[in-house]
Amino acid sequence: MRILLVEDEKKLSAAVCKVLEGENYVVDPVYTGDDGLDGAESGIYDAIILDVMLPGMDGFTILRTIRKEGIRTPVLMLTARSGLEDRVQGLESGADYYLPKPFQMVELLACLKVITRRGDAMPVTELTFGDVVLRQSDGHLANTANGQSVKLGTKEYQLMEIFLRNPRQILSKDTLSERVWGYDDSSEYNNLEVYVSFLRKKLGFIGSTIRIRVTRGMGYSLEEGK
Ligand code: CA
């Protein structure tokens, strides 16, 4: 899962990033309202953690703007202001959840799990297809038939997660690169093939029967069987 974190307090931002990355989320931190809006409009995020008071555009305005544009990405509002009025304004602006500061990291994680579970999103803790399961708890890919498992690196995990959320669908190289490496990072583009080969090796290592098929000129898909 890829999370946009819009928070101008550098220390808090760094702390949140650390905790979320420890839970196998990929986090892109931005520190101003304008960067927040740009990121939110990119449509590549599974959730947005949004502070209210920001340099430039404030969180409420960002939220109203993206909702008007039809962007339905789940939003967790984060703010020092815990008054009822702000809470109401946040929810009316289209926030999915509202967490007043100061908060415990466990609360933040719980909120994030709740909002990313809404809509079409599947529960984030485990994803399965064929004989494999991807566990968020320890970042392992396991074969449920023989009990073999292997730890995935962060990018491998991200890539596998996208495949498991879209089994049997051909995913273009552009889509996959964008989701794993970010929409403006073309320097990493060629890494996709490398990481697909890593995942294939690991699927082989745990003796799985699922495979990543390449369709020339189209992209990759996760398939069952030989
Ligand atoms: Ca702030």
Side-chain angles (χ1 to χ4, degrees):
M1 285 227 165
R2 195 175 191 97
I3 311 288
L4 177 67
L5 173 62
V6 191
E7 167 61 71
D8 59 314
E9 274 178 59
K10 293 265 165 76
K11 264 191 185 168
L12 178 61
S13 173
V16 169
C17 283
K18 199 174 167 209
V19 168
L20 295 185
E21 282 163 6
E23 297 284 321
N24 286 311
Y25 292 99
V26 171
V27 192
D28 292 334
V30 296
Y31 309 99
T32 67
D34 292 346
D35 287 347
L37 181 62
D38 281 350
E41 286 179 330
S42 73
I44 66 167
Y45 294 101
D46 299 295
I48 301 166
I49 301 175
L50 184 60
D51 191 24
V52 171
M53 302 296 284
L54 292 162
M57 190 178 287
D58 68 84
F60 289 135
T61 308
I62 293 172
L63 186 54
R64 272 195 301 272
T65 305
I66 62 167
R67 290 297 187 244
K68 243 182 239 163
E69 290 168 354
I71 296 166
R72 314 271 14 127
T73 311
V75 170
L76 171 59
M77 293 292 283
L78 219 60
T79 179
R81 301 194 289 181
S82 55
L84 181 64
E85 207 171 292
D86 288 327
R87 207 182 180 96
V88 169
Q89 195 185 348
L91 293 171
E92 281 181 348
S93 305
D96 296 84
Y97 219 96
Y98 191 96
L99 186 63
K101 293 176 188 172
F103 52 84
Q104 303 285 319
M105 288 298 173
V106 289
E107 286 183 276
L108 180 74
L109 286 174
C111 289
L112 204 52
K113 281 188 179 143
V114 168
I115 65 166
T116 53
R117 215 170 272 168
R118 291 161 48 104
D120 299 327
M122 299 160 85
V124 295
T125 49
E126 281 192 353
L127 289 166
T128 60
F129 178 63
D131 57 12
V132 304
V133 58
L134 182 67
R135 294 195 300 255
Q136 189 177 24
S137 55
D138 61 2
H140 274 69
L141 184 68
N143 184 336
T144 52
N146 64 13
Q148 296 273 3
S149 77
V150 63
K151 171 88 174 155
L152 298 188
T154 307
K155 297 298 182 194
E156 293 170 344
Y157 184 97
Q158 276 295 107
L159 196 54
M160 197 65 212
E161 184 180 20
I162 299 165
F163 280 127
L164 286 170
R165 284 182 184 280
N166 305 278
R168 301 188 196 89
Q169 289 176 41
I170 296 176
L171 302 164
S172 77
K173 292 183 179 183
D174 281 344
T175 300
L176 291 166
S177 295
E178 197 170 274
R179 299 274 303 203
V180 177
W181 285 278
Y183 64 104
D184 58 359
D185 198 349
S186 54
S187 65
E188 303 270 14
Y189 187 81
N190 292 326
N191 284 349
L192 177 63
E193 286 174 27
V194 175
Y195 278 88
V196 166
S197 76
F198 289 165
L199 281 181
R200 283 174 170 156
K201 280 195 188 113
K202 290 194 171 176
L203 285 167
F205 176 76
I206 62 170
S208 172
T209 60
I210 71 167
R211 65 200 180 101
I212 300 168
R213 193 174 74 184
V214 63
T215 305
R216 199 171 292 276
M218 301 278 286
Y220 296 105
S221 57
L222 196 63
E223 307 283 349
E224 266 179 297
K226 298 291 174 196

